[in-house]
Amino acid sequence: MVEHITGILALIGVLSLFCQWLGWKLRLPAILPLLLCGLLLGPGLGFLTPDAVFGDLLFPIISLGVAIILFEGALTLNFKEIKDIGRMVTHLVTIGMVATWVAISLATHYFMGFDWALAWLFGALVVVTGPTVIVPMLRSVRPKSQLASILRWEGIVIDPIGAVLAVLVFEYIAASQDATGHILTSFASILALGFGFGAAMGYVVGWVLRKDLLPHYLRNTAVLTVMLGTFVGSNLLQEESGLLTVTVMGIWLANMRGVDIADILEFKETLTVLLISALFILLAARLDSSAMLDLGWGGIGVLAVTMLVARPLCVWISGIGTSLTSREKWFLSWMAPRGIVAAAVSSLFAIKLEEQGVPGAEKIVPLVFTIIIGTVVIQSLTAGTWARILKVKAEPAQGLLMFGASAFSREFAKQLKAKNIKVILADTNWDNIRLARMDNIPVYFGNPASEHAETYLDLTGIGRVLIVSPYRQLNPLVSFYYQDYFGAEKVFGLNNMEGATSARHLASEEYMKRLCLFGDAVSYAKIASQMAKGAVLKSTTLRESFTMVEFTRRYGDSVLPLVYIKNERLHIITASTEIPATGIELISLIPIEAQLHAKLSQEREQQEKEARDQAAREEDARQQALAQTESPLEGDDTQNTESGSPQPDTPDNKPVGA
């Protein structure tokens, strides 16, 4: 039996990884392959029966997993970011969420016959979308930058807010089932303990992190352990209060000054991906296909209201007072897939409510999965067509993501920004990021190939990646990650392998082929050395009067062309690029020797020009002198012409006395 359980756990882990990879490879929400995998193993083949395999451990596993998921989501809820994400997103996660909640709750009550308390709980469970389902859809649809940002931020922010709403509604229902009958007292104690204890533990953990009382290698483990202990302790003090407590704890940590939670958040996200994947396979395997069929037309009616009434109502109410067009609002009205958080939380609540004997609780999970399957499948298949019909798809992306925010990258980004080309600098060095921010350059602090970057790095308008960092171990990782994301022909890197002579330090041949940015022998060290010596970046317009030949003659062979713009399209210069002679705007790195060469060339051109001007002046003077020498003869001719035509010397015209 032990070997069987061990084998099942290992199989779930392997299948979770495979489903996540498949979703990433197909640019689809990972929830789809996870769902199919769980349904195949459970109701389909009958191979996995979670209740029989895990027995009494199933509920604690789901409970702790949901606590970690909600805590991780709460860590992303920074109130400063909400202020900066615009009126539309703020409306969507507040009044829009309330409108969605009310519409779905009403539909659930009337179509499914749920009592009001259960209907309000179901409505709260399915108001969340989540970045795990939105981001893959945005990659394939590629709408306009503004629309993509709205949907991405809505998914990030509404996750913890919707979770808090669902927890509060559930706590109210759980309190109303209290045998003592003191509903208000029980609910008030849950709220007081959840907010009070959660805030207190958030402050304590934040204070410990801010004072650096823990070694770095223990920070992530300590926070996770304390969070789980807080969850269990809160439930012991007041039943069903743990989820609210850890959610409040996460929100407090996210907004506490002077507390760096970047490493903790990245660790929690990695753990959450594993938990979400495993949990979703288990939850899908627990589904009873007959229970979903038993929902009948009522389930289809709730799905229809969710997609065709609740979402458009949410978007159009939230869009009041914004600059969005009707086409953009209709597109947003069709993009609201439900995610794994709704499935995990609903399954946990359903188990608890079934234990308490709440009528209709057994229908919550099948109905939630109906909403998830319907929204994800239908919207994934139709969103691209809908975007084309509404003409809200983004133009071919011209922007650049540059990994490495050195002095060269910052100057390069400023040149590109001046040409209205979007640039994002990513770096793991905080000093570089800080200097880039001072130049008002968009940045991402961290590894751009991380799970955190996948959610929070907005790549809207970005079409190519330049690897211009000195990090030899990290560069290949970033390069291969974005080759799969954009395509191998869209990722370029500097040749930083000139010092790697031993086989153990050499990169793969496939990777080496992409190390041709700006030329075959151009490395980060070479560019950094040139910048330190006084190299500058310059934009030059090449035309018929000043071609590439004249440009090279002026600056010499040491000049390094970087990119050129032609017909409003950006072209990256590599070792194999043929630069047009005219009709482009060229951005180049001008080393100090090229600047001196250009100065000498300009002085020589100036001297040649002055010599030509002097020769021209001398020629003009010579012509004027020649004209003055010939002027008497020209005067006689003029005089004769003015007195009339010369008369022939005939006898009739001889002078008197001749």
Side-chain angles (χ1 to χ4, degrees):
M1 184 62 182
V2 175
E3 289 78 6
H4 177 66
I5 296 177
T6 304
I8 291 293
L9 289 174
L11 178 63
I12 291 174
V14 172
L15 291 175
S16 300
L17 177 62
F18 174 75
C19 291
Q20 288 283 351
W21 174 85
L22 187 63
W24 165 76
K25 192 67 176 178
L26 299 178
R27 295 177 181 259
L28 291 173
I31 194 172
L32 284 178
L34 288 169
L35 175 64
L36 293 176
C37 181
L39 292 175
L40 181 64
L41 292 178
L45 301 176
F47 178 77
L48 177 60
T49 308
D51 295 270
V53 172
F54 296 99
D56 294 337
L57 290 176
L58 181 62
F59 176 77
I61 290 173
I62 296 176
S63 181
L64 292 176
V66 171
I68 294 174
I69 291 171
L70 292 182
F71 179 68
E72 187 271 332
L75 285 175
T76 65
L77 186 57
N78 192 310
F79 295 131
K80 294 179 182 178
E81 293 178 347
I82 295 179
K83 296 178 182 178
D84 299 334
I85 57 181
R87 179 182 297 180
M88 184 63 185
V89 178
T90 305
H91 288 178
L92 284 172
V93 300
T94 51
I95 58 177
M97 186 187 71
V98 173
T100 303
W101 179 35
V102 172
I104 296 177
S105 300
L106 291 173
T108 307
H109 174 72
Y110 289 108
F111 286 130
M112 293 299 303
F114 282 18
D115 62 34
W116 282 112
L118 212 57
W120 290 117
L121 175 61
F122 178 81
L125 288 170
V126 294
V127 297
V128 297
T129 54
T132 56
V133 285
I134 283 292
V135 172
M137 289 179 65
L138 293 177
R139 288 181 188 171
S140 59
V141 177
R142 294 191 179 278
K144 291 181 179 178
S145 175
Q146 182 185 19
L147 299 178
S149 297
I150 289 173
L151 290 169
R152 189 175 61 88
W153 274 108
E154 180 195 10
I156 293 171
V157 177
I158 204 172
D159 244 359
I161 294 179
V164 171
L165 174 65
V167 169
L168 288 176
V169 176
F170 171 75
E171 304 300 3
Y172 177 79
I173 295 176
S176 66
Q177 303 298 319
D178 191 358
T180 61
H182 300 298
I183 298 175
L184 294 178
T185 303
S186 181
F187 185 54
S189 61
I190 290 174
L191 292 181
L193 185 64
F195 283 97
F197 189 35
M201 291 306 300
Y203 175 80
V204 170
V205 172
W207 180 82
V208 170
L209 295 177
R210 189 165 57 190
K211 295 294 184 181
D212 291 326
L213 299 181
L214 290 171
H216 189 270
Y217 73 94
L218 281 181
R219 286 165 57 95
N220 295 337
T221 306
V223 172
L224 176 63
T225 305
V226 171
M227 184 275 296
L228 292 176
T230 301
F231 171 72
V232 175
S234 181
N235 279 335
L236 291 175
L237 294 173
Q238 175 62 52
E239 193 174 359
E240 312 299 351
S241 64
L243 292 178
L244 179 60
T245 301
V246 296
T247 304
V248 173
M249 177 182 172
I251 295 174
W252 188 281
L253 265 178
N255 293 276
M256 191 171 177
R257 292 183 179 179
V259 179
D260 183 12
I261 61 171
D263 293 339
I264 298 170
L265 189 57
E266 187 170 352
F267 169 72
K268 293 293 186 301
E269 285 172 342
T270 304
L271 184 62
T272 302
V273 169
L274 177 62
L275 282 172
I276 284 177
S277 304
L279 276 179
F280 202 71
I281 291 178
L282 288 175
L283 297 175
R286 290 186 75 247
L287 276 177
D288 185 355
S289 56
S290 61
M292 296 186 68
L293 294 176
D294 290 342
L295 296 176
W297 290 104
I300 297 177
V302 174
L303 175 61
V305 170
T306 301
M307 297 180 62
L308 303 177
V309 178
R311 180 59 178 180
L313 179 65
C314 164
V315 170
W316 284 86
I317 289 178
S318 302
I320 296 175
T322 66
S323 60
L324 293 177
T325 65
S326 58
R327 289 175 178 267
E328 293 170 338
K329 291 177 184 177
W330 282 120
F331 174 75
L332 294 176
S333 298
W334 193 244
M335 291 286 287
R338 269 53 180 184
I340 296 176
V341 173
V345 177
S346 65
S347 299
L348 176 62
F349 289 173
I351 293 174
K352 291 185 176 183
L353 293 177
E354 287 176 22
E355 290 178 350
Q356 296 179 5
V358 177
E362 71 281 357
K363 296 182 180 179
I364 289 181
V365 174
L367 189 55
V368 167
F369 272 84
T370 299
I371 301 299
I372 292 173
I373 296 171
T375 56
V376 172
V377 173
I378 295 174
Q379 293 175 2
S380 293
L381 295 177
T382 60
T385 303
W386 186 233
R388 284 192 295 271
I389 292 173
L390 295 175
K391 299 180 180 179
V392 295
K393 288 184 72 71
E395 296 295 328
Q398 294 293 304
L400 297 179
L401 169 65
M402 289 196 285
F403 178 48
S406 63
F408 164 75
S409 299
R410 297 193 297 271
E411 290 300 319
F412 191 20
K414 286 192 286 187
Q415 288 281 342
L416 294 173
K417 280 187 63 182
K419 310 300 179 185
N420 296 319
I421 295 173
K422 182 175 181 178
V423 184
I424 299 176
L425 298 184
D427 206 316
T428 56
N429 185 308
W430 171 248
D431 289 333
N432 287 342
I433 292 295
R434 178 178 56 82
L435 293 173
R437 283 180 173 173
M438 293 175 64
D439 289 331
N440 294 320
I441 302 171
V443 297
Y444 174 77
F445 176 47
N447 178 5
S450 66
E451 185 72 25
H452 183 271
E454 185 175 352
T455 301
Y456 293 95
L457 179 54
D458 184 5
L459 295 176
T460 306
I462 301 297
R464 282 158 291 188
V465 178
L466 306 185
I467 312 296
V468 287
S469 85
Y471 314 127
R472 289 186 178 178
Q473 285 72 33
L474 197 53
N475 286 347
L477 174 65
V478 176
S479 179
F480 285 122
Y481 178 87
Y482 283 101
Q483 283 183 35
D484 290 319
Y485 190 100
F486 290 113
E489 71 283 357
K490 302 291 186 179
V491 181
F492 308 91
L494 295 172
N495 190 343
N496 292 335
M497 296 295 160
E498 70 279 359
T501 55
S502 63
R504 71 182 65 186
H505 293 130
L506 290 175
S508 67
E509 292 185 7
E510 183 180 353
Y511 174 63
M512 293 291 290
K513 291 178 182 178
R514 309 307 305 167
L515 302 183
C516 57
L517 182 61
F518 310 144
D520 278 329
V522 181
S523 65
Y524 174 84
K526 178 179 179 179
I527 290 180
S529 175
Q530 296 287 3
M531 292 294 293
K533 294 177 182 178
V536 297
L537 278 84
K538 181 179 178 61
S539 175
T540 307
T541 301
L542 301 184
R543 52 175 66 92
E544 295 294 337
S545 59
F546 188 77
T547 66
M548 189 66 192
V549 175
E550 279 78 18
F551 176 82
T552 305
R553 184 183 299 122
R554 171 172 294 182
Y555 289 101
D557 296 332
S558 62
V559 67
L560 184 62
L562 306 174
V563 297
Y564 68 88
I565 302 171
K566 183 176 183 179
N567 298 329
E568 298 182 352
R569 294 185 65 85
L570 180 70
H571 300 263
I572 308 297
I573 295 176
T574 65
S576 59
T577 302
E578 293 185 6
I579 305 174
T582 62
I584 65 172
E585 194 164 359
L586 182 68
I587 299 178
S588 309
L589 179 68
I590 313 295
I592 189 67
E593 56 267 27
Q595 298 174 43
L596 295 175
H597 188 282
K599 184 177 180 180
L600 293 175
S601 297
Q602 288 176 327
E603 291 177 353
R604 184 168 58 252
E605 291 173 3
Q606 183 65 27
Q607 291 173 357
E608 292 174 356
K609 182 177 181 300
E610 291 177 355
R612 288 194 300 269
D613 291 344
Q614 180 64 28
R617 287 193 296 270
E618 291 176 354
E619 178 63 20
D620 289 343
R622 190 182 69 80
Q623 292 293 338
Q624 290 177 5
L626 181 61
Q628 290 175 0
T629 303
E630 297 175 352
S631 59
L633 180 58
E634 293 175 353
D636 292 343
D637 292 342
T638 303
Q639 184 177 0
N640 291 336
T641 302
E642 291 177 352
S643 62
S645 298
Q647 299 297 320
D649 192 8
T650 64
D652 295 335
N653 293 327
K654 287 183 179 180
V656 178

